[in-house]
Structure formats: C-alpha cells, structure tokens
Amino acid sequence: MRTKINTLLASTLIIATVLLSCNNIKESIERDLFITPADGISFTIPKITGTESGTILGNLNVKNLNLDSLINKESSRFGLGNVKNIRIKEFNLELLDADSLNNIQNIENIIVKLQASGQADQSIATVNPPNTRATKLSIPITSGSSDVRTFLTSSSFTYNLSAKLRTATTKELKARIKVTYAIRVGL
C-alpha cells in the first residue's frame, strides 16, 4: 500500500513539473509586450478660430519608430521578425502649455485615425471629453483587437487627429501624444 502511495505522489509531482514547464516554454515561445516609446510625439496645434467638425489638430508623421529596437529592449529574445500582431492599447494626449482659455475643455469631440501609404485609413480612437478644464486626455481605443502591424511596420505612418471644438482657441498649443502598443511576439 505504501509503495502505491509513493508511486502516486511521485507521479503527481512529475505531472505538475511537466505542466509548469509547458507554461514556461509557452511564455518563451510566445508573449505579449507592452511598449510605450518614452518621448512620445510632440507637435503644435495651430490656433483654431472655428468650431467646425473635422478640424485638423495634427497630422503626425512617424518615420523612425524603431520597433525592432523597442521590442529587443523589452525582451532580448525577440525582434521585429517575431511580431505576430500589434494592437494599440492606449492613446494619450497632453497639452504642454495649456491655460484657462486653451485646454482640453475646448474640445467637444476628437477622432484619431491611422494612415499609411497604400492602406485604407483606420479609425483607432475617439472621445467626447467632459466640459471641464484639463491638460491631459486619454482617448479610448475603438479599434479593439484590430491588428495595426501593417501600418506600424511601414516605412512611415501618420496619426491624424481631427476634432470639433466647443470653443475656439486663442493661441497655438504645444502638445504631445503617447501611445502604448500591445505587441504579440513569438518564435
């Protein structure tokens, strides 16, 4: 009887070890990386005197997003050649020199699109900010689990920010966007 119990315990221990090893192997073969380029993208929003829908806040052309380096910094085992898909997890706008007359409160609606040569534009984020003074705005991602890999791995792509303002602005505004990417990599 004692040998049956010892055999059962040994078998259980072996099975548990194998299952834990499988999870470790899976993580080393495929994993999700969350990457936010440190500097973000700085730009200037022009003084906007109208409140029409579709007013351009910025066309931010990104030419040197070195995804290979960013991925390798997060996990040295992977690089651009290991990317399975890329999703945008967060899109944040910050006004660097806002004041009481020129801030997020001026914006009634904002839409963010992703553009790249030879590809149809993709709307990725939209929000109707509250009518309260603020300098930072998190714009919820509407594209969900859409894979944007073809945009981000092209030689250049553009974030297009368009808006409808509640009230006109009285000056140019220095701004920055920070984008967090969820990148699935695997061998």
Side-chain angles (χ1 to χ4, degrees), residues 25-186:
I25 291 170
K26 182 181 180 212
E27 185 166 311
S28 70
I29 293 175
E30 185 172 281
R31 64 185 293 196
D32 289 326
L33 305 174
F34 299 98
I35 296 174
T36 306
D39 297 334
I41 303 168
S42 295
F43 66 105
T44 301
I45 298 173
K47 177 181 173 182
I48 301 171
T49 58
T51 58
E52 305 82 39
S53 188
T55 300
I56 301 298
L57 298 182
N59 275 318
L60 315 175
N61 191 302
V62 181
K63 291 185 180 187
N64 296 320
L65 181 64
N66 190 341
L67 277 175
D68 190 52
S69 174
L70 293 170
I71 291 166
N72 201 267
K73 184 178 176 182
E74 240 355 86
S75 178
S76 61
R77 289 182 276 192
F78 299 106
L80 190 57
N82 302 108
V83 172
K84 301 298 182 195
N85 70 45
I86 303 173
R87 293 177 293 110
I88 296 177
K89 183 171 174 49
E90 292 180 4
F91 195 97
N92 297 300
L93 170 67
E94 179 180 10
L95 301 179
L96 304 173
D97 59 351
D99 58 31
S100 62
L101 296 176
N102 302 283
N103 59 68
I104 299 295
Q105 186 175 17
N106 295 74
I107 302 171
E108 182 176 320
N109 173 275
I110 188 167
I111 297 169
V112 180
K113 290 183 181 176
L114 195 54
Q115 302 168 323
S117 180
Q119 298 182 53
D121 296 357
Q122 183 174 342
S123 181
I124 59 168
T126 188
V127 71
N128 297 320
N131 192 3
T132 56
R133 198 172 0 168
T135 60
K136 295 180 180 181
L137 178 64
S138 178
I139 306 172
I141 303 303
T142 55
S143 60
S145 61
S146 296
D147 187 0
V148 295
R149 175 183 47 183
T150 57
F151 288 93
L152 273 58
T153 56
S154 67
S155 60
S156 120
F157 61 93
T158 301
Y159 289 111
N160 172 279
L161 284 74
S162 61
K164 177 175 184 348
L165 299 188
R166 283 188 187 95
T167 56
T169 57
T170 61
K171 67 176 188 175
E172 288 185 341
L173 291 165
K174 302 287 184 216
R176 177 176 45 229
I177 62 165
K178 283 203 171 187
V179 184
T180 300
Y181 304 102
I183 303 174
R184 173 149 297 200
V185 292

